Amino acid sequence: MTNLVSIILAAGEGTRMKSTLPKVLHQICGQPMLLYVLKAVLSAGCRKNYLVVGHKGKSVIEALRNFLPLKKKGIEFVKQNKLLGSGHAVLQVKKNLKGYRGNVLVVYGDLPLLTAGTVNRLVQAHYKQDNSLTILGATLEDPSGYGRIIEKGNGKEIRIVEERDATPDERRINTVNAGVYCFRAEDLFKAIDKIRPDNRKKEYYLTDTVKILRDMGKKVRMVTTKDSSEVEGVNNRKQLVSVQKYVNMKNLERLLLAGVTIVDPSSTFVDSTVKIGRDTVIYPGSTILGKTKIGENCKLGPHAFIENCQIEKGVEVRASFIYGAKIAERAKVGPFSHIRPGTFVGEGVRVGNFCEVKKSRIGKGTKVSHLSYIGDAFLGKGVNIGAGTITCNFDGVRKNITRIGDNTFVGSDAKFIAPVKIGKGAVIGAGSTITEDVPPGKLAIARARQVIKDRKKKKKIKR
Ligand code: UD1
Ligand code: CA
């Protein structure tokens, strides 16, 4: 049991995002920004983590549940009903910490680039220096938007001034408040009681505790980040995109070092949740999202869009969209294929240009090479589907199933009016409209017989 608990602030609306989604749920490479912060905080091994929620609190809790076993991680929710500022948010946890004598790590929920290393460095410094409060500072080339840390005489005088309350001189200071603090618990709540909303925003600023504690004669010190990009707070979408770019680049670097070739990182997007095997090559313009897992030796792109898929080794995907599908070894998809959820593309299968496959199973070695729609279908092994084949699955009410047995040859431009079943080794004549089951090994031709007629001689019409 450590002598540390954490408070993470995630109650704000995020007005500057101009969104119906609470700010902390905006995604960065496939995960809500709050999750990144939580992971960094959890690394500190707190005995409890209090997450302060307010604006759309229920949806914040629900979203996190999809990513983390909350109870197991010691995460507890505390409600802030009125959003009266960061100091007021921390105050909501006071009742939970009654009688607690340890330390409190406070972190804002909109700092997705914060690392575990920095959190731990701050906590260690706090213990080692036996501080009442340790704050995280960073030096930024452009400090605009952040609270500035004003420090003189190695902590003799220290306070934070918000940009909108700062004098022009204070605004020139480029040491900023990151939004990460470690407090001695009893000092924290004594100081919070003294915060007054006497600022431009009329809010209870947590940052005021710095001066309050210093004035009480307490020891307040600052730790600075090694990499200032870590403290980038996300308040608007411009910052969201900038942070996402950074996280994406980190994801790509991790993959490059793990043996994946990414031909053009600047045009490649990979979510933090994606796994990719060695010797896979990703060509420019590709996007790989969600819980996708990709095997070794694949060739993806140019322009592959893959979301929530399982792709086995040696698969090729060119200029195609694939969602929620499983693609087995050495299958080739594209260019210009659209593979929709619930599809299984078997080993060595080829799904070629301008084909759409929905909720279907395609057996080993089958070819769907050109211009086809395969929906709610089971295709066996070694089937050849001719160009322009359509499974007519929808009768206006229900989706119906087409079954095509192993080694069937389907001529071009066939239509299967589902439900329909084609036996193994059957041959379907080109241009057929198949409305009834075809027994194994038989030839079915279902099209109007061609007629040849004599042409009448045309008389010239005189005008
Ligand atoms: C805050 C700091 C600023 C610092 C910056 C770092 C204050 C007063 N200012 O400014 O010094 O440089 O972060 O990014 O703290 N929140 C609540 N309840 C509230 C208000 C806020 O939970 O009533 C949460 C928000 O959800 C957010 C965090 O507190 O996660 C910070 O709030 P935000 O409005 O983003 O503060 P900044 O203006 O960025
Ligand atoms: Ca912020």
Side-chain angles (χ1 to χ4, degrees):
M1 274 287 157
T2 60
N3 209 16
L4 189 68
V5 301
S6 77
I7 300 177
I8 301 121
L9 303 191
E13 182 180 346
T15 324
R16 290 164 279 183
M17 295 299 282
K18 311 245 159 70
S19 175
T20 51
L21 191 70
K23 176 168 74 175
V24 292
L25 291 189
H26 277 262
Q27 296 228 334
I28 292 168
C29 295
Q31 295 176 338
M33 83 168 83
L34 182 56
L35 194 76
Y36 291 88
V37 185
L38 267 175
K39 282 185 178 166
V41 171
L42 290 174
S43 76
C46 296
R47 64 155 95 161
K48 260 268 145 60
N49 303 283
Y50 298 98
L51 190 70
V52 182
V53 294
H55 176 71
K56 297 193 175 168
K58 273 204 186 111
S59 58
V60 172
I61 297 169
E62 272 322 299
L64 282 183
R65 240 187 255 294
N66 293 332
F67 290 91
L68 273 183
L70 301 173
K71 246 203 181 140
K72 209 170 132 201
K73 297 281 181 189
I75 297 169
E76 217 170 88
F77 296 94
V78 177
K79 189 102 211 272
Q80 183 190 17
N81 287 319
K82 274 190 188 158
L83 306 179
L84 302 179
S86 47
H88 179 258
V90 172
L91 181 64
Q92 308 312 304
V93 191
K94 188 178 178 178
K95 53 187 182 306
N96 302 68
L97 292 178
K98 215 173 160 201
Y100 172 67
R101 301 248 128 217
N103 296 286
V104 185
L105 174 67
V106 179
V107 182
Y108 294 168
D110 60 354
L111 311 173
L113 300 185
L114 182 68
T115 63
T118 297
V119 170
N120 287 299
R121 219 155 52 78
L122 179 92
V123 171
Q124 289 316 315
H126 179 77
Y127 283 137
K128 211 166 158 195
Q129 299 167 5
D130 196 22
N131 296 335
S132 167
L133 165 60
T134 315
I135 60 176
L136 184 67
T139 309
L140 298 186
E141 231 166 77
D142 175 15
S144 53
Y146 292 87
R148 311 294 205 279
I149 299 178
I150 295 158
E151 192 197 18
K152 285 174 196 155
N154 191 25
K156 278 242 159 55
E157 186 194 330
I158 185 164
R159 62 192 168 87
I160 296 174
V161 60
E162 289 308 297
E163 179 162 274
R164 55 170 78 70
D165 305 307
T167 64
D169 269 350
E170 286 169 337
R171 281 185 196 190
R172 271 192 281 278
I173 294 169
N174 61 355
T175 305
V176 304
N177 170 36
V180 183
Y181 316 74
C182 197
F183 289 92
R184 207 178 279 151
E186 69 245 51
D187 292 348
L188 166 64
F189 293 109
K190 269 183 217 154
I192 282 188
D193 286 340
K194 294 189 180 169
I195 300 175
R196 295 288 163 261
D198 50 3
N199 48 59
R200 284 264 168 97
K201 273 180 98 180
K202 305 267 176 288
E203 282 187 358
Y204 292 84
Y205 284 167
L206 182 66
T207 45
D208 286 354
T209 56
V210 173
K211 182 171 189 303
I212 292 170
L213 286 170
R214 189 62 216 110
D215 288 349
M216 284 162 72
K218 303 284 183 182
K219 191 171 167 193
V220 181
R221 289 287 185 276
M222 170 171 70
V223 164
T224 48
T225 53
K226 286 182 182 148
D227 178 0
S228 59
S229 54
E230 254 191 70
V231 308
E232 195 166 343
V234 176
N235 295 319
N236 56 44
R237 297 198 195 225
K238 217 174 131 198
Q239 289 165 321
L240 181 78
V241 168
S242 144
V243 164
Q244 169 145 286
K245 242 184 168 169
Y246 183 93
V247 173
N248 182 52
M249 212 38 86
K250 289 274 168 208
N251 288 344
L252 299 181
E253 279 168 18
R254 169 175 55 80
L255 290 167
L256 287 165
L257 296 176
V260 176
T261 296
I262 296 163
V263 175
D264 180 24
S266 70
S267 72
T268 305
F269 295 89
V270 175
D271 272 353
S272 305
T273 37
V274 170
K275 293 196 170 70
I276 304 179
R278 282 184 183 199
D279 291 319
T280 284
V281 182
I282 302 174
Y283 293 96
S286 295
T287 302
I288 306 173
L289 306 178
K291 290 178 180 153
T292 295
K293 202 171 165 207
I294 291 167
E296 298 179 355
N297 277 305
C298 293
K299 288 191 168 67
L300 310 176
H303 302 288
F305 183 100
I306 300 171
E307 187 172 22
N308 294 328
C309 288
Q310 195 179 329
I311 294 189
E312 291 182 352
K313 61 185 173 197
V315 166
E316 291 184 19
V317 178
R318 312 281 188 197
S320 293
F321 285 82
I322 313 184
Y323 307 85
K326 184 173 173 189
I327 317 287
E329 279 178 39
R330 288 177 291 100
K332 288 193 170 87
V333 175
F336 314 113
S337 298
H338 183 192
I339 310 246
R340 293 166 52 196
T343 294
F344 169 76
V345 173
E347 198 181 319
V349 163
R350 165 154 176 70
V351 178
N353 13 207
F354 307 104
C355 291
E356 177 176 346
V357 183
K358 182 221 121 183
K359 208 174 169 188
S360 294
R361 203 181 157 82
I362 304 182
K364 186 172 170 181
T366 287
K367 289 190 174 67
V368 186
S369 298
H370 333 268
L371 300 155
S372 289
Y373 172 67
I374 305 294
D376 304 294
F378 292 88
L379 311 189
K381 293 180 204 153
V383 174
N384 184 80
I385 298 285
T389 295
I390 308 284
T391 53
C392 307
N393 57 334
F394 189 45
D395 58 16
V397 182
R398 260 180 301 268
K399 297 285 167 66
N400 300 294
I401 289 174
T402 302
R403 292 176 198 275
I404 299 179
D406 296 349
N407 303 314
T408 293
F409 181 91
V410 178
S412 295
D413 196 29
K415 283 159 218 72
F416 293 96
I417 315 293
V420 71
K421 187 177 171 190
I422 314 302
K424 288 184 186 176
V427 174
I428 307 295
S432 292
T433 298
I434 300 294
T435 53
E436 284 161 37
D437 291 357
V438 176
K442 302 289 182 187
L443 166 67
I445 303 176
R447 62 188 186 220
R449 188 173 283 279
Q450 183 171 320
V451 287
I452 307 265
K453 292 184 175 177
D454 289 335
R455 294 171 63 206
K456 275 185 190 160
K457 280 213 173 112
K458 272 187 198 155
K459 284 178 190 159
K460 271 202 173 161
I461 302 165
K462 275 188 182 165
R463 293 208 160 198

